Amino acid sequence: MEGCSRKDEVCPQLLDLISKDREWVLKSGEGRSHGSPEEKKLELRLGPPGEDWTIKDNTNNNNCRERDESLRYLRYLSSMASMTHNCSNNNNNSNIINNTTTSCGKRGFLETVERNTGEEGYQVKTQQQQQQTKASFLQFQSSPPVITKESSQPCCTKVVDLQNTEKKAFSPASANTAVPNSSQKSALILYRPLTSSPFVSHMYQKKQKICPTAVVGWPPIRSFRKNLASSSSSKPANESQDVVPNKIASEKPVEVGKKGLFVKINMDGVPIGRKVDLTAYDSYEKLSSAVDELFRGLLAAQRDSSAGGIQTKQEEEKTITGLLDGSGEYTLVYEDNEGDRVLVGDVPWHMFVNTVKRLRVLKSSELSALCLGSSKQEKAPLDSALK
Amino acid sequence: MGYSFPEEVLEHVLSFIDSDSDRNSVSLVCKSWHDIERWCRRRLFVGNCYAVSPAIAIRRFPELRSVSLKGKPHFADFNLVPHEWGGYAYPWIAAFAKAYPWLEELRLKRMVVSDEALELIAKKFKNFRVLVMYSCEGFSTDGLATIAANCRNLKELDLSESEVDDVSGNWLSQFPDSYTSLESLNITSLSSEIRFTALERLVGRCPNLKTLKLSHSVPLDLLPNLLQKAPQLVELGSGLHTKEVHPDLYSKLAGAFSGCKGLKRLCGLRDVVPSYLPTLYPICFGLTSLNLSDAPIQCPELIKLVSQCQNLQRLWVLDYIEDTGLIALAESCKDLRELRVFPSDPFGQEPNVSLTEQGLVSVSAGCPKLHSVLYFCRRMSNVALSTIARNRPNLTRFRLCIIERFRPDYITQEPLDVGFGAIVEHCKDLKRLSLSGLLTDRVFEYIGSHGKKLEMLSLAFAGDSDLGLHHVLSGCKSLRKLEIRDCPFGDKALLANAAKLETMRSLWMSACQVSYRACKLLGQKMPRLNVEVIAEQGHPDSSPDEYPVEKLYIYRTVSGPRSDMPSFVWTMDKNSALRSS
């Protein structure tokens, strides 16, 4: 396609923009290594316009598992470091090709972070992020957020520091804490993406020998397949729903109801809806606190962004209470199989699970304006709504 | 230019050309051919509804009869795209209502369709025939009622996998008694009680009904009647569920099925009672497609069923089939072209069935025409993948999902790079690939060098560095759709291959390490791309430029940035300021 030649035209422009007059050279190893203990390296040379640019890939295809896991983590860190800071990690200690940091205007994100928000800001942000991701679905164990710091030291030293930090940082207890206290000026902190870095979480899992926890959208199956075995309990029209689970259970030791029952939940003022797995709870109280956890952070973020959106400090998060008894700012309602809106909490839990189609968190002040299938005072219409 | 054919002759010639790419080539020959072709094009396929605006489509093709539109990115199927992201059908339908009063067919996938949109369809298109809404949402049975009441010539109504606000089942009765043109009905996603008498009468008066896919609320005792009224059925979807086994019902059902001599495709069987399965045996030989992915049938019954389907071309099944069942399949169904095995317990930590890589290897060995595979399992090895690749170099679609993330080769504990490498190397016509398991950048090197015909690639929890992404973007010449989640890919590969993005339909990246800076840069420099960032925290300018973007959706477009974005989606364009640093 014409993509190739155009790529040559376009890329140099883009690269010029980014790299200014710097060369991007990431580390290179020699040849295909077979069992050499070198770190994994890559060389990505992007020259000035007109020059052919080549990629030499010298990825180490040795099986990393044979080596110390921390070494692999180390390589990841150093490749991350080298990518963001253009350091060459030359294990031969040969020349560091690149200009490290001093000259370039772009100092890498770390300085920016320090300048603008301070480490606390980042920590706090990721905590909030953690909360959100945790609340939505089971949180995967993530390492503490770590940010790489530039230093004028040669990279080999940095590599060593990485190793030290890694050992400190990678402890199970600190899984959900922010930057370890041991971070000093010379300590290296790894940049952590907003959700758990796959590599890091993987290594963490291997280290901790725990089973992987649930992740959004994994395994990649459609929602209606998730509900397969419990669908009979969520489809109220089928009066023989009591029969089917027994049949399945008697034929095979597959437990019905182990799969989730995912129901959409929207909250006033939050643009993005969520889904909750009702089989994870067995009472209204648990559901209420789950809803609180789910939206607390989001609501704060909404207030924060509508107030101007500068993330200098975390908006104070208010617990969402009183969802069930009308005493709070918000109230939980649901839509049942007949399309009626009903207050949550009036019927026995299992009946609720059988008939609920979706959930809503509404502002209590706007409740009276809405047409509800029943109200708290009148129980009778509620009964008729649930034939 | 010399003298050319009279237009009518060229039009007549072109009427034999159906394929979009051929027609596109025709329009590039010269101006007059371009003009003639656009006036006689009747079908349009828009793979991304935001790549082009309704106005542009209408201006180019003034006489369309059939339009297909796709909305949300594929990962919306797995809840990775927030609700209210977009993909609204209404603007398109409203524009078509004015421009194409003779529009006959609409096929929508992953779009939001409101009842108002359905009403427009019902009232504005006098000759409307086909409505397919695959995996759509936003409408209710009220909208369906309007369609039923007004579309006199409706042939096909297909709601597969759509989320319907199921208010009541009465909408079926809205088909007037004079209405007899129904040929295909798929209402599997509806759950409310429908008026069975209305359904029976509808089926009875539509002699051309070929496809009937019912929701599982239709009770089993109704099925024999329905089948007797429609023995010409080619495709049936039904539950086989009942409270008790009635010998009476059994024989009625057996008789009814035997009467359906032309039945080729069967699906549903939700909540099937195994004792009723033998009623299907008479039709098994004629079946070409069997979808048991909703049916909790266990291995022995599955084997009995499947081994009688010697003409089977497509099988979708749960992993209850186990390795032994797949071996039986490989022995009996030599015409098998497509196999999908879904997990019965996707969130369980331990395997609940004995389904391993062996099953897939057996099928790959025994079924010479197998070209499309979707397989969920819990372990895999490089040697198995290499064997599959060597057995089946004719694979065109290979999607493997090892349920636990980062799972290495269970024999050697190595990454699965070499195995997937064998797949891309041997299967030279591979068009679609999904990876899973422990994978390093190496696998992308293989994909980049061998995957020359690869059009769609799905990645999750794979790779080590930007080099991986670079291999894919620079090597896969035919790549159209790339979707990535949770991979350590950052800015470099993306920026270095920016031009590639204009040759693709779309790129999705979520939970990767692409920074705001890179997105803004791309948005500024590439005006024909929409670089959309999904961020729940707030405006992009409130995050430092080096922060990674949560979710990124980049697609080529000729109609500029979207105007219907929700509050959490931002387009990075020439107005996005790059913060100085």
Side-chain angles (χ1 to χ4, degrees):
Chain A
M1 286 195 192
E2 73 273 7
C4 290
S5 54
R6 293 197 55 224
K7 183 164 60 162
D8 292 340
E9 286 165 13
V10 179
C11 288
Q13 288 172 356
L14 274 173
L15 300 175
D16 283 346
L17 252 182
I18 304 158
S19 61
K20 303 267 189 228
D21 45 358
R22 275 183 301 135
E23 244 185 35
W24 270 358
V25 177
L26 303 173
K27 199 27 246 148
S28 66
E30 290 315 300
R32 306 249 162 220
S33 41
H34 301 289
S36 73
E38 289 169 11
E39 302 170 344
K40 179 186 58 183
K41 300 154 193 53
L42 45 84
E43 175 186 276
L44 185 73
R45 169 169 294 135
L46 305 160
E51 206 177 274
D52 278 346
W53 62 302
T54 55
I55 302 282
K56 288 195 191 102
D57 162 31
N58 296 301
T59 48
N60 181 358
N61 45 350
N62 194 21
N63 181 17
C64 331
R65 286 167 178 275
E66 293 158 15
R67 278 177 268 134
D68 181 21
E69 286 169 338
S70 58
L71 183 57
R72 185 160 191 226
Y73 179 59
L74 177 64
R75 282 184 295 111
Y76 169 72
L77 289 182
S78 54
S79 72
M80 282 302 300
S82 59
M83 278 202 276
T84 49
H85 302 290
N86 308 310
C87 268
S88 48
N89 300 320
N90 192 336
N91 73 334
N92 299 337
N93 285 341
S94 62
N95 283 338
I96 294 160
I97 299 173
N98 163 47
N99 4 288
T100 7
T101 52
T102 45
S103 53
C104 46
K106 164 173 151 30
R107 280 216 124 224
F109 93 105
L110 182 70
E111 288 238 342
T112 318
V113 172
E114 286 174 351
R115 235 187 290 136
N116 293 342
T117 67
E119 286 178 339
E120 289 77 34
Y122 181 61
Q123 286 171 33
V124 162
K125 185 177 161 71
T126 45
Q127 265 179 347
Q128 180 188 14
Q129 204 50 29
Q130 279 183 340
Q131 242 174 351
Q132 288 175 15
T133 48
K134 195 195 328 190
S136 316
F137 287 85
L138 297 179
Q139 170 69 314
F140 31 83
Q141 304 303 316
S142 51
S143 77
V146 214
I147 309 170
T148 16
K149 223 176 196 138
E150 292 172 352
S151 71
S152 48
Q153 299 162 356
C155 292
C156 312
T157 321
K158 192 187 289 197
V159 163
V160 171
D161 282 345
L162 281 170
Q163 195 157 23
N164 290 338
T165 311
E166 180 264 324
K167 289 206 159 77
K168 282 181 217 161
F170 227 19
S171 59
S174 58
N176 286 323
T177 58
V179 177
N181 297 332
S182 52
S183 65
Q184 320 103 359
K185 260 298 197 286
S186 59
L188 294 156
I189 335 175
L190 216 220
Y191 165 67
R192 174 184 170 276
L194 288 181
T195 55
S196 158
S197 154
F199 189 103
V200 170
S201 73
H202 158 64
M203 294 311 300
Y204 180 76
Q205 287 162 21
K206 295 312 296 178
K207 278 180 168 285
Q208 306 310 317
K209 295 186 177 54
I210 55 172
C211 292
T213 51
V215 169
V216 183
W218 191 265
I221 51 173
R222 303 286 314 276
S223 324
F224 63 85
R225 292 197 193 283
K226 282 182 201 164
N227 280 353
L228 182 58
S230 58
S231 62
S232 44
S233 62
S234 73
K235 301 279 193 278
N238 196 339
E239 52 183 349
S240 39
Q241 66 201 27
D242 293 319
V243 181
V244 174
N246 291 338
K247 281 207 168 358
I248 294 178
S250 61
E251 282 157 20
K252 182 83 168 169
V254 172
E255 284 168 65
V256 173
K258 234 190 177 170
K259 305 169 184 43
L261 175 61
F262 291 88
V263 176
K264 269 197 230 179
I265 176 165
N266 286 83
M267 178 164 187
D268 271 352
V270 176
I272 306 182
R274 286 292 191 280
K275 278 196 174 174
V276 283
D277 177 4
L278 288 181
T279 59
Y281 316 108
D282 57 12
S283 73
Y284 288 117
E285 281 65 39
K286 291 198 183 143
L287 175 63
S288 174
S289 60
V291 171
D292 165 39
E293 261 185 48
L294 195 60
F295 285 111
R296 196 194 309 165
L298 285 177
L299 209 55
Q302 290 304 120
R303 290 198 200 106
D304 194 36
S305 61
S306 56
I310 308 296
Q311 214 117 22
T312 44
K313 62 178 173 57
Q314 189 186 7
E315 169 82 12
E316 194 192 289
E317 285 184 350
K318 290 195 274 182
T319 322
I320 307 172
T321 53
L323 283 168
L324 300 173
D325 56 13
S327 64
E329 197 187 331
Y330 293 91
T331 302
L332 195 56
V333 304
Y334 71 100
E335 283 165 30
D336 65 8
N337 50 302
E338 311 240 314
D340 296 325
R341 278 207 179 161
V342 185
L343 281 174
V344 164
D346 286 337
V347 300
W349 174 258
H350 68 272
M351 276 181 85
F352 163 71
V353 170
N354 282 346
T355 57
V356 63
K357 281 296 189 93
R358 70 187 293 164
L359 287 161
R360 289 190 194 278
V361 184
L362 303 176
K363 277 199 141 63
S364 303
S365 49
E366 290 174 23
L367 269 185
S368 50
L370 297 166
C371 182
L372 288 183
S374 77
S375 66
K376 280 170 35 133
Q377 288 77 32
E378 302 159 49
K379 296 274 189 173
L382 188 58
D383 294 334
S384 60
L386 302 162
K387 290 194 251 296
Chain B
M1 207 197 13
Y3 52 108
S4 50
F5 283 141
E7 280 189 19
E8 296 81 11
V9 176
L10 190 55
E11 271 192 37
H12 183 70
V13 171
L14 292 184
S15 67
F16 296 101
I17 300 180
D18 271 334
S19 113
D20 280 342
S21 55
D22 286 344
R23 275 191 166 257
N24 290 344
S25 309
V26 163
S27 10
L28 292 176
V29 168
C30 63
K31 274 199 184 151
S32 69
W33 279 41
H34 184 278
D35 209 36
I36 294 169
E37 193 282 319
R38 62 181 264 267
W39 278 97
C40 69
R41 189 169 319 199
R42 299 283 175 261
R43 317 185 137 260
L44 180 66
F45 169 76
V46 179
N48 174 5
C49 64
Y50 292 117
V52 63
S53 69
I56 294 177
I58 291 170
R59 195 172 64 218
R60 169 98 191 259
F61 299 116
E63 301 263 326
L64 293 179
R65 296 275 184 274
S66 159
V67 180
S68 302
L69 293 172
K70 291 192 184 179
K72 300 186 201 174
H74 172 237
F75 272 177
D77 284 356
F78 315 128
N79 297 328
L80 289 179
V81 178
H83 300 302
E84 285 114 58
W85 172 86
Y88 302 106
Y90 188 86
W92 287 89
I93 297 174
F96 291 161
K98 297 202 180 84
Y100 306 131
W102 297 109
L103 190 72
E104 293 176 6
E105 303 180 355
L106 263 182
R107 292 181 171 83
L108 308 171
K109 184 169 180 178
R110 283 191 210 102
M111 296 196 77
V112 177
V113 187
S114 59
D115 281 346
E116 289 73 27
L118 290 180
E119 197 174 332
L120 269 187
I121 295 175
K123 305 245 168 95
K124 299 287 185 182
F125 302 120
K126 301 296 171 206
N127 200 21
F128 199 71
R129 290 170 188 258
V130 171
L131 180 59
V132 175
M133 293 190 284
Y134 182 89
S135 193
C136 294
E137 57 172 353
F139 61 98
S140 76
T141 42
D142 288 346
L144 296 178
T146 339
I147 297 275
N150 292 286
C151 297
R152 295 295 147 91
N153 295 319
L154 194 70
K155 282 195 321 192
E156 183 174 340
L157 179 61
D158 185 341
L159 310 176
S160 332
E161 301 185 19
S162 290
E163 271 184 47
V164 186
D165 202 353
D166 219 335
V167 175
S168 93
N170 285 338
W171 67 275
L172 257 187
S173 339
Q174 299 300 310
F175 283 111
D177 288 338
S178 54
Y179 168 74
T180 58
S181 36
L182 193 64
E183 294 181 18
S184 171
L185 182 66
N186 181 338
I187 51 172
T188 44
S189 51
L190 295 177
S191 55
S192 64
E193 300 263 339
I194 48 177
R195 285 273 207 89
F196 302 130
T197 43
L199 177 63
E200 268 193 357
R201 285 204 320 268
L202 182 64
V203 169
R205 66 177 184 269
C206 295
N208 295 323
L209 189 66
K210 294 283 190 305
T211 296
L212 183 62
K213 287 173 153 181
L214 301 168
S215 59
H216 60 272
S217 67
V218 177
L220 187 59
D221 24 12
L222 193 63
L223 195 56
N225 288 353
L226 285 175
L227 292 179
Q228 266 145 20
K229 289 187 156 66
Q232 75 282 1
L233 275 183
V234 172
E235 183 165 9
L236 174 70
S238 165
L240 282 192
H241 168 258
T242 185
K243 278 189 271 199
E244 300 125 20
V245 178
H246 277 298
D248 228 15
L249 183 52
Y250 184 99
S251 55
K252 267 202 226 167
L253 200 56
F257 273 123
S258 315
C260 293
K261 307 247 183 272
L263 203 56
K264 287 198 172 2
R265 299 189 284 275
L266 186 63
C267 67
L269 301 184
R270 202 166 195 175
D271 309 335
V272 64
V273 174
S275 4
Y276 280 109
L277 282 175
T279 57
L280 296 172
Y281 292 169
I283 51 158
C284 281
F285 187 76
L287 287 181
T288 56
S289 164
L290 187 54
N291 179 353
L292 303 172
S293 56
D294 286 328
I297 310 176
Q298 304 305 319
C299 185
E301 278 87 33
L302 275 174
I303 294 182
K304 272 192 231 151
L305 193 60
V306 150
S307 23
Q308 298 187 59
C309 301
Q310 287 93 351
N311 288 312
L312 204 59
Q313 295 178 13
R314 184 202 309 168
L315 177 65
W316 292 19
V317 73
L318 287 171
D319 56 8
Y320 292 137
I321 195 167
E322 300 192 338
D323 289 339
T324 42
L326 289 174
I327 293 172
L329 177 72
E331 278 163 24
S332 320
C333 305
K334 293 302 184 188
D335 208 21
L336 194 71
R337 326 257 165 121
E338 178 182 334
L339 174 67
R340 296 195 189 191
V341 178
F342 295 97
S344 55
D345 185 18
F347 302 110
Q349 307 290 0
E350 299 301 321
N352 60 323
V353 291
S354 172
L355 178 98
T356 69
E357 81 284 5
Q358 292 307 319
L360 185 56
V361 172
S362 315
V363 178
S364 74
C367 300
K369 296 194 189 165
L370 183 73
H371 70 85
S372 172
V373 171
L374 168 61
Y375 200 75
F376 282 80
C377 61
R378 289 179 192 268
R379 73 175 202 202
M380 187 49 65
S381 64
N382 283 314
V383 67
L385 282 171
S386 304
T387 311
I388 292 167
R390 287 177 170 80
N391 285 342
R392 287 281 62 77
N394 50 325
L395 283 176
T396 58
R397 287 169 181 78
F398 188 74
R399 295 153 72 186
L400 179 70
C401 178
I402 302 168
I403 290 177
E404 193 186 322
R405 300 168 297 150
F406 309 116
R407 260 242 125 99
D409 178 325
Y410 77 96
I411 302 173
T412 65
Q413 302 306 313
E414 305 249 325
L416 289 171
D417 301 337
V418 171
F420 279 108
I423 295 275
V424 286
E425 189 186 338
H426 292 273
C427 306
K428 304 215 182 298
D429 290 324
L430 196 68
K431 289 205 300 210
R432 184 166 180 185
L433 179 63
S434 301
L435 307 179
S436 57
L438 183 66
L439 296 162
T440 72
D441 281 348
R442 195 111 187 275
V443 72
F444 299 118
E445 197 187 330
Y446 293 133
I447 292 175
S449 29
H450 296 287
K452 297 306 179 190
K453 300 242 181 108
L454 201 60
E455 295 180 6
M456 182 168 177
L457 181 61
S458 308
L459 309 177
F461 306 104
D464 302 314
S465 72
D466 269 54
L467 200 55
L469 181 58
H470 176 74
H471 282 309
V472 170
L473 289 176
S474 57
C476 297
K477 299 278 171 259
S478 312
L479 197 63
R480 290 187 303 120
K481 288 183 278 183
L482 180 56
E483 45 184 25
I484 302 175
R485 63 160 299 179
D486 292 272
C487 295
F489 300 144
D491 297 346
K492 287 199 167 37
L494 203 57
L495 292 174
N497 292 282
K500 171 74 174 174
L501 298 175
E502 275 190 16
T503 68
M504 293 165 51
R505 182 189 296 174
S506 65
L507 166 66
W508 169 277
M509 289 178 79
S510 57
C512 297
Q513 285 149 24
V514 180
S515 68
Y516 277 101
R517 166 185 305 277
C519 294
K520 288 177 184 176
L521 197 59
L522 267 177
Q524 282 178 1
K525 292 290 154 190
M526 313 285 293
R528 279 184 300 224
L529 291 181
N530 274 356
V531 179
E532 289 180 7
V533 161
I534 296 176
E536 298 182 46
Q537 288 89 287
H539 196 279
D541 285 342
S542 66
S543 304
D545 276 352
E546 284 77 11
Y547 269 29
V549 159
E550 243 179 82
K551 296 177 188 187
L552 174 62
Y553 188 49
I554 301 178
Y555 55 90
R556 64 180 175 188
T557 178
V558 294
S559 58
R562 285 170 63 180
S563 53
D564 61 356
M565 289 182 294
S567 56
F568 47 86
V569 177
W570 284 273
T571 303
M572 305 284 117
D573 59 13
K574 55 188 184 319
N575 300 323
S576 317
L578 260 184
R579 295 225 298 209
S580 57
S581 50

